Amino acid sequence: MTQHYPALLVIVPLLAAFIISVFGWIYKKLCYPIAVAALGVSSYSSISLLLRVLKEGVVHYQLGGWAPPWGIAYYVDHLNGLILVAVSLVAFVNLIAAKKSIEREFPEKTGPFYTLYVLMVTGLLGILITGDAFNLYVLLEIASLTGYGLIALGEERALLATLNYLYMGTIGACFYLLGVGYLYIVTGSLNMADIATILPALYQSKAVLAAFIICMVGVWLKMAFFPLHAWLPNAYTFAPSASSSLIAPLMTKVMIYVMIRLMVSVFTPEYVFNTLSIAEPIVWLSVIAIVMGAVLALAERNLKKMLTYIVVAEVGYMVGGAWIGNRAGMTGAILHIVNDALMTLCVFLVVGNIVYKIKGYAFKDLKGLFRRMPFTMGAFVVGALAIIGVPPTCGFFSKWYLITGAIQAGHYSFMVALVFSSLINVVLFFRVFEIGYYEPFSGHHGHESHPEVIDEAPLGMLIPLLVVAAGIVVIGMYTGNIVTHIIHFAIPHGII
Amino acid sequence: MEIIHSIKPFLAVLASLLVTPFLVWSKTPNSRETWTFAAATMKFLIVASMVPAVLKGSEIVYTVAEVIPGVAVKFRVDALGMLFAIVSSSLWIVTSAYSIGYMRGLNEHSQTRYFCFFAIALSATIGVAFSGNLLTLYLFYEMLSFATYPLVTHHQDQEARNSGRKYLLYIIGSSVGLVLPAMLMVYDLSGTLEFAKQGFLAGTGTRALIGILLFMFIFGFAKVAIIPLHSWLPAAMVAPTPVSALLHAVAVVKVGAFSVLRVITGVFGTDYLYTLHFGTALCYLAAFTIIVASLIALSQDELKRLLAFSTIGQLSYIVLGAALLSPKGLIGSMTHIAMHAFGKITLFFCAGAIAVATGKKYLSQMVGIGKRMPVTMTAFFIGSLSVIGLPPTGGFFSKWYLALGTLQADQLPMLLVLLGSSLLNAAYFLPIVYRAFFCTEQQSMFDSHIKEAPIWCLVPLVITAVGSIILFFYPTIFLRLATLAAG
């Protein structure tokens, strides 16, 4: 059984999705337990897989027993082992937290929602685990198409936003497919490891260059790397809470993983950093992404939309870290995939709770929230501090590595951008805190006569949120272990 | 030098952090305050229990976790940290008593929140005092910034909101914008962040780079309020007075001064800075702040604002003492942390007591107050003497050593600055005392029914005033710790 964890990880949720869609017609009440069980199995398998990778090294798995390069190979190393755990747990926790809001927002459509949800997680986990470049495309489309569905379930404007996302997302995926096509033409293989062994002889080939650039642009489109980000803010804002707290933490992060995987495992660092000399401009692009994300977030008067622009800025962090071309930067990028997933989940769960209670997420709806929802806002403070990058939250430590990478590479503009973004984040979040903290009191000096009406979100939403908030600090304190035992092995020796 | 591994420093930090749930769950204000006292006493006892070992020259070390390979969250108790920890943990007990008198006297809202964040702020303060490396110091420094925000903005009105913004802008802006990159650049230069006796940067970097880093740290720790990064401190005076007293005369600002001292001695090393000739520039920076802040204080009418500007000037004494880069100057600088704390907290307590008893905040409205509140104003007089640096108060010693330091470092202009500043201090403090006592019954602005503030307010300020005098006769512990720390 244990040797089949890689397959279980993907197949269990895939089958569960079909079962859920059937039960959606027959007996709705079973949909949720099945979804929870399926993602529970995925989370369990991913944790066992990571432990196995830590103990025995890279895990290879041949789907259906077909040997690569013809069969599809699943491949778990330290890099995707870590991210598999993060993604499956984030999806699992979010599912637990989402129950109430899903049941209230669309009681008739719980079946389809859970189907899409589990199917999307299948796609994401598949993208992470697969060792086959074409298979990755298929799973990418699964994750994207279900993502469009999940977003379109939202408020009125979600439809237009989804359509926009659909166009851009499809172009992105097509670019990726086109790049893989080029690679297939020159190497005759679709297996990532196989391609990596064939490529060195072809480093000077224009087709390989074209393949690389086209793949990158496609991936950047999917991860909303500025200026290819335009689809993201509306799509994530108008999606239902439960969808946005699944998609916002995971989709962009998984695409960052794809980018890093292409850079280190398919095209190899030797090619990316030595043969090509495009790292410098890309780091500059990420500097622009970080600054613009921060500035655009500053212009928003709406909590959820502000957070989506922060996601855009964070994408810049990770792209820059990966492209800065040294170990510290790459460590920061990989660490930030996990950390950012966690903190984005935290703040979007907070939005979910607020929407559940207040039915709005514009700044003006947030008045007096610290008194009304102290626990939710407490978790929000933790998430905000992590995004600002205050120790001992995890966000500080990934920023630490990213800045170290920038200093070691002498790329001070990237350092300045990171610091600038931290400062803007302080402004962004304290502006929200101020509204939640002062507004009902303005005008008169409060004295202890105020009735303390606590009106919190239900426990089912609150407990997962508090777990995530605690996780932000715990993961931060364990950064040392994560880096020395996992990320250290995830980065090839070619990157010093 | 003996290294002792013990969890005590961590416990000292946790004592006030772990008590916060009990504060929240307490059913009555009395039980809540009991918990505060329990935590404060506990903290002080833990700190005090480490004193003998430190006086013997040992260091107490505890590593919490290696959060980044090679850099741990780590406590290391040495003489300098111990000096600061004793001051802040002992004064917390006194301030807790005073808080009760003040908060209840004015019937303030959200007292539970107030006591919670006060406790967290104290944890952070002790954390800074005991931190063994730059990362730990930064961690607790930031924790203190965020924990004090709800205290500064306690009143939750528009003025508090504006002041809170200013507070964050200066404090967080400078620490994230300057200290964080400087810390990482230092780490990149030397590969370590552990404080060492003579710093760990010696021999690395070019002179220009070291200079840039030094000033990034000095300005980055904006809690030390060097001009032009000082204006958060007067703004923060919107906070309830106990907050101003403990945090903005002792904990927060001294954390800034302490961090500067720590960085100058433990990161750069006085010898290295001496060979690079950065001392004089720093001296003049501090001297400028000392003189300008004192001049501004002269023109203030609001008592707390005056005290704030006085604090800005006094903090730069500490920076000046360090910048002299001479042993005597360092001793003066370190003892000033303690001596100024006792003097200034007394003054703030008095300002608060006057506010509780009469509601008055402006000096022009305080003529004749000494006749109605003799105990308070006597304490105010003693506190002023200490801040001016006159015997028989503890403030005399730190100024004495600072003056000796200027001679030792051959910086005569700085001696003039010290003397001039003392005169200015006298010029803004003594008239207050004079007008409080020496006036006719007609000139007095207070009816005879005005009495002293409640006992919870009065006793703490008497304690700290007496403490200032005792420190004149028995300054040994602080002097010995400072001598040890200055090497």
Side-chain angles (χ1 to χ4, degrees), chain A residues 370-371 385 388-392 396-397 399-401 403-404 407-409 412 415 418-420 422-423 426-427 430-431 433-439 441-450 452 476-481 483-484, chain B residues 29 32 64-69 71 73 106-113 135 138-140 142-143 146 149-151 153-158 160-162 164-165 168 172-174 176-178 180-181 183-185 187-188 193 216:
Chain A
F370 272 98
R371 199 150 276 256
L385 291 183
I388 293 169
V390 179
F396 171 77
F397 296 100
K399 205 162 272 178
W400 170 287
Y401 278 105
I403 296 181
T404 308
I407 292 174
Q408 283 173 3
Y412 290 100
M415 178 185 93
L418 288 170
V419 170
F420 173 79
S422 302
L423 291 174
V426 174
V427 176
F430 271 85
R431 207 166 50 170
F433 295 165
E434 277 189 352
I435 294 166
Y437 181 64
Y438 294 101
E439 303 260 307
F441 289 93
S442 58
H444 61 283
H445 240 232
H447 289 286
E448 218 158 52
S449 57
H450 281 284
E452 306 217 359
M477 294 303 284
Y478 279 95
T479 304
N481 290 327
V483 170
T484 41
Chain B
R32 179 183 67 202
V64 182
E66 189 161 308
V67 283
I68 294 171
V71 188
V73 171
L106 289 179
N107 189 22
E108 287 280 355
H109 70 116
S110 305
Q111 292 190 18
T112 304
R113 181 182 75 207
L135 174 71
Y138 181 78
L139 190 164
F140 286 108
E142 290 291 39
M143 183 173 155
F146 287 109
Y149 176 78
L151 294 172
T153 59
H154 184 83
H155 292 310
Q156 290 179 285
D157 50 15
Q158 192 56 41
R161 188 172 180 165
N162 293 340
R165 279 187 186 174
L168 283 179
I172 308 282
S174 59
V176 174
L178 295 172
L180 178 63
M183 170 167 70
L184 284 156
M185 281 154 92
Y187 185 57
D188 188 47
L193 289 175
M216 279 171 91

Side-chain angles (χ1 to χ4, degrees), chain B residues 261-283:
Chain B
L261 258 175
R262 210 21 136 204
V263 165
I264 288 180
T265 56
V267 175
F268 291 94
T270 45
D271 291 350
Y272 188 46
L273 288 180
Y274 187 78
T275 53
L276 293 177
H277 306 293
F278 279 122
T280 313
L282 262 185
C283 277

